[in-house]
Amino acid sequence: MTDQHTEIRRPGDVPAGTPLTSLAQQRAEAGARLRTEHDRDQDAAVSDALTQLAVGEAIRRTVGSERGGMVAQALRLGATWDQVAAALDTTELAAADGLRVWAEGQRTLYHQHVADDADVLVGLDEDAYAEVMRQVAFALGRAAVDARDTHAEQAPRLRAAVASAPMVDTVGELRALLEQLPGEMPLSLDDHHRALPGEPDQVHTIHPRLVATVSGLATEAESKQPGLMLTQVYVPFPAEDEEQAAVATRDDLPAYGELPRAAYHLERGELRPGLKDVAEVLEELAHLVGEVAADCTEHDEDGSQLRVEAKRITHAAERIGKLADTVEEVAE
């Protein structure tokens, strides 16, 4: 006769509301049979092994789904955030974020039950949700203060580490820099390459720099922390290392490409160079539309229409280029 506990083959086979004590007992019994009954047939042993796995996963999911409620209860009873974090073997920030996610899900569940006119309302109403979020905000505030203190202590060391590597041209150089920085430090890439305008011979390098990143946007716990940004810069070539490094670290270099460079000039009111870059962008677009795109279509009529549009873009580029030579900039 098949044991009733061996009927569980997947976590979904566990009836809803089954107490954890019952699940733990079923898992322990399956494990005990695996350890002691070596003379059973293979199918029975496999059945117990699968039961042990499925029930164990069901226990993990149940405990996970109840964790938020247990954290909220512990805080309500007077536990501190550092005690909660220690009990979960995590950081206060991670514990608070987990509670926030749970609370938002419980509030959504409550409103769903209200909308369905359920007899029993489950979840967090607005008052209960607000109370939980006050606890979350308190933890986030503590974390922000701790982060500011930590960053203030680290700032001189971080600045010195990044300043010592004005150019990073190899993977080894980048690795050596990263080894001096915190592992959790935010990393970003600059949207646009930078270059000295008018330089005929330039070679690219990577310039790492410290930037301020913001966490907890639009909350009382909003704070800034240092992050690492990698910027691709074109520097003079040939040139001495010191000269190249001096160019790489400049923060006033315009963008290398025509479109971002046009935005760079125009946003500063520099109409003539900005419009000339716009004209170059339009000429490139005309080429893409009239040559590249037109050659890809299967229908001659479509290709002809694309070439007509390309000529219009070319004419616009010519007009803007001429206007760039005559336009008067607003006097500052």
Side-chain angles (χ1 to χ4, degrees):
M1 181 174 180
T2 303
D3 191 290
Q4 60 177 340
H5 298 326
T6 63
E7 297 302 319
I8 296 177
R9 294 293 181 273
R10 53 181 58 84
D13 293 338
V14 176
T18 303
L20 282 173
T21 53
S22 176
L23 292 177
Q25 181 180 356
Q26 291 184 50
R27 186 174 185 276
E29 290 174 355
R33 288 192 296 272
L34 284 172
R35 290 192 299 271
T36 59
E37 299 184 18
H38 301 294
D39 57 343
R40 292 186 305 155
D41 60 58
Q42 184 179 11
D43 290 342
V46 168
S47 178
D48 279 332
L50 293 176
T51 295
Q52 193 175 37
L53 286 173
V55 173
E57 176 61 17
I59 292 173
R60 187 190 69 80
R61 294 183 184 183
T62 300
V63 172
S65 67
E66 295 177 352
R67 180 175 293 116
M70 288 187 255
V71 170
Q73 182 183 39
L75 293 169
R76 188 171 61 250
L77 293 174
T80 61
W81 269 110
D82 57 337
Q83 290 174 328
V84 168
L88 295 174
D89 194 23
T90 187
T91 64
E92 293 184 31
L93 188 59
D97 190 60
L99 182 60
R100 176 190 61 79
V101 173
W102 173 82
E104 291 173 352
Q106 290 296 305
R107 181 175 65 165
T108 298
L109 181 63
Y110 175 82
H111 286 293
Q112 287 176 345
H113 279 75
V114 171
D116 295 338
D117 197 22
D119 295 333
V120 179
L121 299 179
V122 178
L124 296 178
D125 60 20
E126 290 302 321
D127 290 340
Y129 172 77
E131 179 59 33
V132 173
M133 292 307 294
R134 277 193 288 271
Q135 294 280 11
V136 171
F138 178 75
L140 294 179
R142 279 170 52 96
V145 171
D146 291 343
R148 283 195 295 268
D149 293 343
T150 301
H151 297 152
E153 294 175 0
Q154 292 180 338
R157 181 177 63 82
L158 298 179
R159 285 195 294 268
V162 175
S164 68
M167 297 189 298
V168 178
D169 294 323
T170 67
V171 173
E173 291 174 345
L174 177 60
R175 181 178 60 191
L177 171 61
L178 296 179
E179 287 176 348
Q180 302 178 61
L181 304 177
E184 68 277 6
M185 189 176 192
L187 175 65
S188 59
L189 303 178
D190 199 348
D191 290 336
H192 303 301
H193 303 164
R194 311 290 175 183
L196 277 170
E199 283 285 333
D201 298 317
Q202 302 186 72
V203 63
H204 73 83
T205 186
I206 300 298
H207 167 53
R209 59 194 178 101
L210 284 178
V211 295
T213 60
V214 181
S215 60
L217 287 172
T219 69
E220 294 182 357
E222 180 178 314
S223 63
K224 292 183 179 180
Q225 59 179 314
L228 182 69
M229 176 176 282
L230 301 181
T231 300
Q232 183 167 315
V233 183
Y234 285 81
V235 295
F237 179 82
E240 297 294 331
D241 291 346
E242 292 78 7
E243 182 182 353
Q244 291 182 338
V247 172
T249 56
R250 282 175 53 179
D251 58 6
D252 63 337
L253 293 178
Y256 180 71
E258 288 87 358
L259 182 57
R261 191 170 62 231
Y264 173 91
H265 287 305
L266 293 177
E267 288 170 354
R268 289 163 176 76
E270 301 164 359
L271 293 182
R272 291 176 185 175
L275 290 176
K276 285 187 175 295
D277 283 326
V278 170
E280 291 186 23
V281 171
L282 290 175
E283 289 177 359
E284 180 64 22
L285 290 175
H287 168 72
L288 291 174
V289 172
E291 299 295 333
V292 179
D295 290 344
C296 291
T297 180
E298 296 180 357
H299 303 289
D300 293 338
E301 183 178 353
D302 292 337
S304 298
Q305 290 179 350
L306 287 172
R307 291 187 178 91
V308 168
E309 296 302 326
K311 289 181 179 179
R312 292 177 179 173
I313 298 173
T314 300
H315 293 158
E318 293 173 352
R319 291 194 296 271
I320 291 177
K322 292 178 181 179
L323 185 60
D325 294 327
T326 60
V327 68
E328 293 186 5
E329 299 176 357
V330 177
E332 302 211 353

